[in-house]
Structures are given as C-alpha cells and as structure tokens.
Amino acid sequence: MAKAKKKLVFFCKECGFESPKWLGQCPGCHEWDSFAEAPAAGNVTESIKGRLPGSVHRTPAKLNEVQAGEEERINTGIEELDRVLGGGIVAGSLILVGGDPGIGKSTLLLQMCRLLSGQGHKILYISGEESPKQIKMRAERLGSFSSNLYVLCETDLGVVSETIADTKPGIAIIDSIQTMYSEDAGQAPGSAGQVREATSVFMRLAKSLPVSIFIVGHVTKEGVVAGPKTLEHMVDTVLYFEGDGGASYRFLRGVKNRFGPTDEIGVFEMCADGLKEVLNPSEYMLQGKPENEPGSVVTCSMEGTRPILAEVQALVCQTNFNMPRRATDYNRVNLLMAVIEKRLGVRMGDYDAYINVAGGMRISEPALDLGIVAAILSSYRNQAFDSKTVCFGEVGLTGEIRAVNLAEQRVMEAAKLGFKRCIMPKANSQKLNIKESALNGMQLAGFGSIYELLEVI
Ligand code: TYD
Ligand code: MG
C-alpha cells in the first residue's frame, strides 16, 4: 500500500499562523513574506508513532461520572517555581519555559533537576546545545547531584523521543526545542515547522507515558518564542523567564496554565552559585532607592496573590523638539499625561517624559496609575515625594481616583516594610478592614481625585 502523502500547509515563520494557502502578509502578526510550506503539525514520525502507547479512552465518558479530584503534583523544592506552576508539576504535563538566551533557563531547570533527583525522582535532561562536559561544569556551580539524573546530548527528535520512551523518567527536560531536528519536518533546525513537529511529539509522549516534559524555548528578537502561537496552544503551561539585562533579578511569569493561575510571578536573583529565590520581593525591589529625590514614588502592585512594592521613576524635562518624547513601557502613560494636562492644567505637551519601574519588573496593573501621576508631578515640579509614603490607585479620565482590588494586602505590605503613610483611593480607605495594630503606626489617606496629590508634592 502506498504511504499516505503527508498533508502540507503554509504557516508564518514569525508567529506560527497556519493557512491552507500562501499569503503575502500574515493575518496573525502582520509580518510580510513570512509564509513557508511545511507538513501539518501532528504528523508524528512513523517510527516514533509505532512506539507510543495507544490511548485508552476510546468511549466518551459521562461528565457527571468523571472523578475530578486534585491532580497529582510534584513539588520542585523551589517555592517560587511551584507557585508559578500552580502548586507543583502536574504529572504528564508539557511545560514551555521561554526567555532570552542567557537569562537563566538552563540554570533554573538544572537546579530543579538537582532537587527533584535528590528526592528520588528519575530525571532525564536532554541537551541539544551543550556537551555533557559543559553541563557538568554548570552543574558543579550548583552543588552535588544524585545518581537519578541522566543526561543525553542529542538533537535527533527520533532518538530523543525513543530514549524518553525507553528510559521512562518521571520528568524530562528538552533544552532547547529549537535544537530538535526531525527529517520529516523537512526544514532547517529551529524553523517553525521543526519546532511544531517536535512539540507535538513531546505532547504525545507526555500524555501517553505519562512523563512531565519541560521544553526550553528561546525567544526571537521580536520577543516571542519561534512559532509561539502554535507552541503556546500545544502545551499545557507557558512560563516566561524575564529580567533586565544588567540587573541580577529574574522574573518567572506564568502566561498560560491549564492547571493553575496565570497571574503569579516568581522572583529570583542570579548568583555565582545559581538562582536564589527572592521570598520578599518588595525589599528587593526597593533596594538602592534614592531618598527624597524628585520623580521617585513607591507604589504597590499585586502580582497574583502577592503584593509587591515597586519604585516608579519619572523624568520630565522641557523638550527640544516639536514632538515631545514619551519613553516608557507603559501604554497608560500618554493617557495619564493627558489627564494631568487637562485636569490640573499642567502643560505636558512642552515636556519630554521618561517613566520606568526600577528593577526591570514589568507591571501592567491600573493600580500603578496614581504612582505614575505622582512621579510625573514630582519630577515636573522638581519637588520630592515623601520617601516614606506609598501610593496606589487607578486614575480615571476625569482625574478621579478609583478603587482597586485587594487594598488590604497592599496596605499591609507597605506597613510591614515600615512606610509611614499610605495614599489610596477614598473608596478603598472607607471600607478597609485592618486592625490598628497591624498598621505599625502607618497613616492612611483616602484621596478622591488627583487634585489632592498637588497638596502633598
Ligand atoms: P543559562 O541558564 O545558560 O541561560 P539560558 O539557558 O536561558 O540561555 O544562564 C547563563 C547565564 O547565567 C550566564 O551568563 C552565566 C550565568 N550564571 C551565573 O551567574 N551563575 C550560575 O551559577 C550559573 C550556572 C550561570
Ligand atoms: Mg541554555
């Protein structure tokens, strides 16, 4: 019998968008001339297919009879990682760890392997990038390893998946997905077609054995994992490891999680002997904060279940151009500056503005608004904002300060770190349910509008 011809599709090399025909511009990411032809995802290599244990659930189950229960989870021994995973590794799950090259993905996973193998789990670490010697050199910085950790340096997808099926480890690491190569996918290593093929093979392996598989994915210059859309859809969990190039802080962020929340972050510091967990990120984020300098304001953001204090810095100075510069990662800054201009009558159009959160953390919470407005005003007036005051709150278009969620936690965090005053939305302060003793002597101030800020700067 003739071998069935493999179905070919076109997909975008940048974002993985799939289409039955060639397109000049990708509807997904709007990149031009990025479509390439490749076999459809899910075409598992014949030799591998024969070895995969068959699926058992052939008859549909009645949902009301399905036993839910908690998934079985393995604690990694790294609290910050467990938190982002939603309480540990779920058996048979496929987890993508993305990030810039050199950010510390291999280091984090090797550290996890060290702890897990020490607990008696059988671990297989597959590297397509480094030799066993190089892995050993890195490992020596992290401490001693138990005999339960196996390494394999291989890039051939067939060999890798067969080794996983034969070795039957509890957890396998693929470092990195871009180095895996299968002839069936018919493209260069690292291309979106190859990455998709490899990911679909690992997904099947993970579910059928079962084995939990971590795949490392390097991020391209656009800040996305090669073929990210399809990759993100295919895996159970997506974690991104990010940080400021120069700084030693690293943030592990959950972007997708079929087994837990996605808003948690893990905070680490890169040290000479591997990544250290940062269990009190607020203290860490405020290290080196200038005292009583204009443009520096401490605010409180919620990252999942954790409040984190962070310093917002603004530099506002007269512009030399017709178009004032707005240099910031925060989309809301333009809007907030318009509100300041209109409501407070401050001529923002004549000024350049640079806004930053010190420490390289990306925050996208509206509760940051008040801190940004205060920092802008403080820099504009060249008047310091009291460095023992924290402020948080969402700013509306009429300059009103709107309530935010979880105000208690934010207030408590500020009190714990010894702040003397907390400026917050009036609506929050009226309903606050905190014992006087927990405030540590911190004063609370409920503000209704940004006019009131003018009095404290
Ligand atoms: P690595 O884990 O190789 O990054 P990735 O796998 O994401 O590409 O991290 C490499 C960087 O981390 C490298 O610049 C060296 C540094 N590093 C330390 O500072 N301390 C350590 O203990 C280790 C192992 C690496
Ligand atoms: Mg690496």
Side-chain angles (χ1 to χ4, degrees):
M1 199 174 72
K3 210 171 148 199
K5 198 163 166 272
K6 201 169 259 190
K7 190 175 160 236
L8 289 176
V9 292
F10 290 88
F11 63 90
C12 171
K13 282 185 282 195
E14 295 299 328
C15 77
F17 187 94
E18 197 174 293
S19 156
K21 61 180 200 302
W22 187 88
L23 297 173
Q25 188 187 20
C26 173
C29 65
H30 307 294
E31 186 70 28
W32 289 96
D33 194 22
S34 62
F35 272 77
E37 197 177 26
N43 279 327
V44 178
T45 319
E46 291 302 318
S47 67
I48 303 166
K49 212 178 203 167
R51 302 185 59 102
L52 289 172
S55 166
V56 254
H57 304 289
R58 286 282 148 77
T59 41
K62 290 181 182 160
L63 186 58
N64 63 355
E65 288 172 8
V66 172
Q67 299 289 327
E70 278 284 291
E71 286 98 6
E72 206 183 306
R73 288 184 188 262
I74 303 169
N75 281 335
T76 59
I78 304 176
E79 208 180 300
E80 296 289 297
L81 177 59
D82 283 343
R83 185 208 320 278
V84 181
L85 286 171
I89 307 168
V90 174
S93 61
L94 186 64
I95 300 151
L96 171 67
V97 181
D100 290 332
I103 198 85
K105 301 179 292 296
S106 306
T107 306
L108 177 69
L109 291 174
L110 203 58
Q111 258 175 285
M112 181 191 79
C113 291
R114 174 168 174 267
L115 293 168
L116 287 171
S117 61
Q119 290 172 27
H121 296 284
K122 187 173 175 185
I123 317 280
L124 178 58
Y125 186 100
I126 296 152
S127 178
E129 298 188 340
E130 294 168 307
S131 66
K133 261 202 192 125
Q134 283 171 307
I135 298 174
K136 179 76 183 176
M137 268 160 57
R138 183 202 303 272
E140 272 169 357
R141 298 172 70 168
L142 306 176
S144 59
F145 277 71
S146 91
S147 57
N148 290 325
L149 176 62
Y150 296 80
V151 291
L152 172 73
C153 294
E154 181 59 64
T155 57
D156 185 317
L157 184 60
V159 176
V160 167
S161 51
E162 281 181 31
T163 312
I164 296 177
D166 290 341
T167 321
K168 295 201 174 59
I171 290 156
I173 317 289
I174 311 294
D175 190 359
S176 63
I177 193 75
Q178 274 98 352
T179 58
M180 294 296 129
Y181 183 75
S182 158
E183 272 183 13
D184 290 30
Q187 282 189 329
S191 64
Q194 287 285 353
V195 167
R196 279 149 40 103
E197 166 89 359
T199 308
S200 77
V201 168
F202 292 129
M203 190 61 173
R204 282 176 156 236
L205 268 176
K207 299 296 161 201
S208 57
L209 280 173
V211 48
S212 305
I213 303 181
F214 283 80
I215 52 184
V216 171
H218 292 299
V219 157
T220 63
K221 62 180 193 308
E222 281 82 23
V224 286
V225 177
K229 293 287 180 299
T230 28
L231 270 200
E232 288 188 358
H233 288 152
M234 289 160 85
V235 302
D236 294 314
T237 302
V238 181
L239 311 179
Y240 279 98
F241 210 22
E242 55 192 42
D244 214 353
S248 55
Y249 319 92
R250 299 284 184 270
F251 305 99
L252 187 66
R253 204 179 277 281
V255 175
K256 162 182 172 178
N257 196 347
R258 289 191 181 141
F259 305 109
T262 52
D263 50 2
E264 294 286 356
I265 65 165
V267 186
F268 297 88
E269 183 185 8
M270 182 61 98
C271 301
D273 53 350
L275 289 155
K276 291 260 171 332
E277 295 180 67
V278 177
L279 298 172
N280 48 353
S282 294
E283 264 169 49
Y284 213 75
M285 295 294 294
L286 296 180
Q287 263 175 26
K289 189 182 88 67
E291 293 284 312
N292 293 319
E293 283 293 334
S296 157
V297 172
V298 177
T299 180
C300 189
S301 158
M302 289 301 296
E303 295 295 328
T305 52
R306 259 197 315 191
I308 296 182
L309 296 182
E311 181 199 357
V312 179
Q313 296 188 332
L315 182 66
V316 177
C317 51
Q318 206 124 36
T319 185
N320 293 320
F321 303 99
N322 290 335
M323 273 276 282
R325 269 172 63 80
R326 301 278 180 261
T328 168
D329 291 342
Y330 306 95
N331 293 336
R332 283 182 72 90
V333 167
N334 278 327
L335 184 147
L336 293 173
M337 293 184 78
V339 173
I340 293 173
E341 170 140 4
K342 185 81 182 172
R343 302 291 159 194
L344 303 182
V346 176
R347 292 269 305 164
M348 285 281 126
D350 298 340
Y351 290 84
D352 289 336
Y354 306 86
I355 317 287
N356 187 27
V357 170
M361 194 159 87
R362 280 198 294 118
I363 304 178
S364 54
E365 229 209 341
L368 216 65
D369 290 355
L370 195 57
I372 294 176
V373 171
I376 291 173
L377 288 174
S378 158
S379 176
Y380 173 80
R381 292 185 150 191
N382 213 20
Q383 295 279 328
F385 188 81
D386 177 35
S387 59
K388 283 286 167 205
T389 300
V390 172
C391 70
F392 64 85
E394 182 177 345
V395 174
L397 293 185
T398 68
E400 85 276 20
I401 299 173
R402 310 176 69 100
V404 297
N405 62 355
L406 305 169
E408 276 91 4
Q409 268 113 309
R410 300 178 204 255
V411 171
M412 302 279 276
E413 182 76 2
K416 201 174 87 190
L417 280 141
F419 282 85
K420 294 290 168 234
R421 188 167 191 224
C422 180
I423 297 176
M424 58 196 293
K426 201 175 214 156
N428 281 131
S429 69
Q430 286 162 347
K431 284 192 286 194
L432 213 59
N433 185 14
I434 297 182
K435 280 201 215 89
E436 194 63 39
S437 59
L439 284 179
N440 229 341
M442 187 174 75
Q443 222 187 51
L444 297 178
F447 279 19
S449 125
I450 57 171
Y451 288 109
E452 289 166 72
L453 266 186
L454 291 177
E455 285 153 33
V456 295
I457 296 169

